[in-house]
Amino acid sequence: MNKLPILGAMLASITSLPSQAKVEELFKSTCASCHGETLMGAMAPSLVDNTWLTDGTDKALTNAIKNGIANVGMPAFGETLSDEQVRTLVVFIREAGAKVERQKAPKSSLGKVFTTKHQTVTTQKVLTSDGIIWAMDFLPDGSLLYTLRQGELWMMSKNGKKTQVIGIPEVWHNRQGGLLDVYPDPQYSQNGWIYLSFSQAAGKNDNGDEIAFTKIVRGKISDGKWVSEQTLFEAKPENRKNRGWHFGSRFAIQGDYLFFTNGDEGHQNDAQSITTQNGKIHRIFKDGRIPKDNPFYNEKGAQQTIWTYGNRNPQGLTINQTTGDLWSTEHGPRGGDELNLITKGVNYGWPKVTFGMNYNGTPITEHTELPGMQSPIHHWTPSIAVAGINFYTGNVFKNWQGDLFVGSLAKKQLHRLRIENNQVIEDEIILKGLGRIRDVVTAPNGTIYLTINDRNKNESKIISILPAS
Ligand code: HEC
């Protein structure tokens, strides 16, 4: 195939494109003439059939776009496109490929038996509720606590009776804000503490926009009432500026320490500053005191609760009970959802490093790694909108012992990850299409519970995954 005659005209047209061009326009004007507008192939082969001339990795695609492929007619674009534009094109090719894959895959339906790689299972409805269920967890007596983002905490007893817990704090319910995580203390039987995270109203900013911040409290439930509340964490008054995005926030407890996530609140550059609470994972004592061995405790002006920084919007946090390691998932922008192993004082790179691009298709950076910044253990590009995570610790599914279950909002999928030596060796989609999956827990009876919701109906369900008969 000789494409040379059209090349001159094409290259002339791309040099006039602004460096912040959206990836859709970039592809259309530079690549579509050969690969087709839908990427399904025209004069040049499809980029969405998962058949590659190269080895198909991000590196190989980047290299093909920058340096061309001699003798087959793929021109080099390294002179005319910036590295960050090339990165947006790779994300774009991944998105298109995933879309084709998704259309092929069958949807799950409640109650149907289905076979996965290691287990044959089915699903069952546990409860339905109005609103968005944001989080759930079990108490030692087998009753189930769950939050509704609009600001309600509910408890379902073992025999299925639902009651609302009265007297919890008033929350700021706007955009992504509201009542978020609920987490009973691992020593609940001895101390009765339950931890809540939510967005708290903080008045208005200079432009007259309502603002809020992530607040952490604990309290106890007595006779269906929320009592003995203690405030454990609040953003400093000068750092309260969230207009409704990226609050985080999930809990994990290890010994006396309470970890919680705080998203970048829509101010992405703050994630690289140790003076603010946003874009961080924090560590405090369960009673709110700040441990003196936190990494930035002695740094002048630092937010002393910080454990890690450079985190975008982590909405999954859990401890591997076997190793004691702390893991987190965080929402990337468009592309670049991450699974991270969380270690003290580490910079996870946002927004200096990411596998993603802006939602509108313009570049963020060409860097998918940089010295001094920790790369994710695993990333999803295109984004699945990665949410709650949980290591399976029950004894019903023997072949899933120790696997990490990962919920996805946008792609409505439940992923099962097998991790060995801190590397993901299996990433299997075991459920899809039932709804947006925000939280996952291992139930005391060894089954797996999921929250799913349908945004259009403002309705949620909790369902369980159980062995097929
Ligand atoms: C002049 C035609 C032409 C244009 C324009 C063109 N390509 Fe290609 N491209 C090809 C051909 C031909 C191949 C070889 C594919 C094959 O044989 O499998 C190729 C291969 C590739 C590959 C490697 C695929 C693989 O199988 O490993 C990628 C990635 C790619 N092109 C992306 C792009 C992008 C992004 C653009 C726009 C910036 C673009 N191409 C513009 C013709 C073109």
Side-chain angles (χ1 to χ4, degrees):
M1 288 190 286
N2 181 9
K3 313 266 165 30
L4 287 177
I6 58 162
L7 254 180
M10 252 181 31
L11 293 179
S13 77
I14 54 175
T15 41
S16 58
L17 267 177
S19 63
Q20 283 296 307
K22 296 181 174 145
V23 69
E24 290 80 4
E25 293 159 15
L26 198 58
F27 191 89
K28 202 166 158 188
S29 63
T30 344
C31 323
S33 58
C34 290
H35 290 288
E37 283 211 18
T38 56
L39 288 74
M40 288 183 166
M43 286 142 82
S46 166
L47 295 171
V48 294
D49 58 1
N50 207 18
T51 314
W52 304 105
L53 185 65
T54 64
D55 66 9
T57 58
D58 274 23
K59 273 208 172 76
L61 303 194
T62 305
N63 187 42
I65 299 168
K66 281 173 74 168
N67 304 319
I69 309 177
N71 307 324
V72 297
M74 169 62 189
F77 293 94
E79 298 279 306
T80 38
L81 298 179
S82 67
D83 285 356
E84 52 179 29
Q85 286 178 316
V86 172
R87 180 65 209 163
T88 64
L89 286 165
V90 173
V91 176
F92 190 66
I93 293 170
R94 297 293 184 216
E95 287 179 344
K99 198 169 163 196
V100 170
E101 286 301 306
R102 253 196 332 278
Q103 280 157 357
K104 280 195 269 175
K107 280 192 178 176
S108 315
S109 61
L110 263 180
K112 206 174 89 180
V113 172
F114 58 99
T115 300
T116 71
K117 194 164 179 185
H118 302 297
Q119 294 281 171
T120 298
V121 297
T122 186
T123 51
Q124 197 176 62
K125 190 185 87 176
V126 175
L127 65 86
T128 305
S129 169
D130 286 343
I132 305 299
I133 298 182
W134 208 91
M136 68 177 156
D137 218 329
F138 286 91
L139 292 177
D141 71 355
S143 54
L144 181 64
L145 285 172
Y146 56 98
T147 59
L148 296 186
R149 193 168 61 189
Q150 66 217 44
E152 296 173 18
L153 176 63
W154 285 79
M155 181 145 84
M156 189 178 82
S157 68
K158 234 181 146 181
N159 61 24
K161 189 168 168 270
K162 292 190 276 184
T163 44
Q164 188 179 351
V165 178
I166 305 302
I168 64 157
E170 193 176 321
V171 307
W172 184 82
H173 179 226
N174 266 305
R175 301 191 184 98
Q176 298 172 355
L179 180 60
L180 305 174
D181 206 7
V182 57
Y183 197 81
D185 196 296
Q187 263 91 53
Y188 181 86
S189 307
Q190 290 95 64
N191 63 30
W193 288 117
I194 292 165
Y195 301 80
L196 291 180
S197 65
F198 58 96
S199 47
Q200 162 84 52
K204 290 187 175 167
N205 65 15
D206 293 344
N207 295 328
D209 309 310
E210 278 189 38
I211 48 170
F213 61 94
T214 305
K215 181 169 172 175
I216 309 293
V217 302
R218 68 175 179 180
K220 300 183 181 190
I221 296 173
S222 171
D223 292 333
K225 291 195 191 74
W226 181 253
V227 298
S228 311
E229 182 180 297
Q230 298 174 348
T231 296
L232 305 183
F233 174 83
E234 299 185 293
K236 292 174 188 159
E238 65 272 24
N239 292 333
R240 297 176 183 177
K241 55 182 175 182
N242 194 338
R243 290 186 295 125
W245 293 280
H246 302 182
F247 288 93
S249 60
R250 291 271 179 207
F251 292 121
I253 287 182
Q254 193 170 41
D256 291 333
Y257 300 111
L258 174 69
F259 295 89
F260 62 92
T261 66
N262 194 138
D264 70 9
E265 305 186 5
H267 298 272
Q268 60 185 43
N269 294 329
D270 287 359
Q272 287 297 319
S273 160
I274 58 162
T275 65
T276 65
Q277 78 288 343
N278 51 335
K280 315 289 167 8
I281 296 179
H282 300 267
R283 184 180 78 149
I284 56 178
F285 284 115
K286 292 195 295 186
D287 61 6
R289 284 175 301 122
I290 305 176
K292 292 202 169 65
D293 60 346
N294 270 0
F296 305 110
Y297 189 88
N298 293 314
E299 300 241 351
K300 201 163 170 267
Q303 167 70 43
Q304 293 174 308
T305 53
I306 294 175
W307 185 246
T308 67
Y309 64 115
N311 301 103
R312 187 174 179 274
N313 188 22
Q315 293 201 322
L317 190 70
T318 196
I319 286 166
N320 180 334
Q321 298 299 343
T322 316
T323 61
D325 291 335
L326 181 65
W327 292 81
S328 172
T329 43
E330 72 181 52
H331 295 286
R334 182 167 157 192
D337 282 8
E338 298 185 356
L339 171 70
N340 287 306
L341 178 58
I342 297 300
T343 31
K344 177 179 176 175
V346 165
N347 180 357
Y348 289 86
W350 173 252
K352 301 264 180 220
V353 185
T354 174
F355 285 90
M357 60 184 168
N358 286 313
Y359 290 118
N360 66 4
T362 58
I364 295 174
T365 167
E366 78 266 28
H367 298 299
T368 52
E369 53 186 29
L370 276 180
M373 300 187 188
Q374 182 61 50
S375 297
I377 298 282
H378 190 63
H379 75 95
W380 290 272
T381 305
S383 295
I384 59 173
V386 66
I389 54 175
N390 185 245
F391 284 101
Y392 179 69
T393 51
N395 47 26
V396 166
F397 304 117
K398 294 272 186 288
N399 301 332
W400 283 348
Q401 279 287 341
D403 286 351
L404 184 70
F405 285 80
V406 177
S408 129
L409 297 168
K411 297 292 184 281
K412 303 180 180 166
Q413 292 167 176
L414 181 69
H415 289 242
R416 180 193 59 80
L417 269 50
R418 182 150 297 173
I419 303 174
E420 266 178 31
N421 302 320
N422 294 336
Q423 294 207 327
V424 173
I425 58 165
E426 287 177 10
D427 178 357
E428 182 189 13
I429 298 170
I430 61 167
L431 255 189
K432 63 179 298 146
L434 286 177
R436 295 160 62 81
I437 302 179
R438 199 180 289 277
D439 203 6
V440 190
V441 297
T442 306
N445 68 5
T447 63
I448 294 171
Y449 274 45
L450 310 174
T451 65
I452 58 177
N453 79 271
D454 185 335
R455 200 155 48 173
N456 301 327
K457 287 200 220 151
N458 194 35
E459 182 191 276
S460 302
K461 287 191 180 67
I462 292 177
I463 65 167
S464 65
I465 300 179
L466 51 163
S469 71

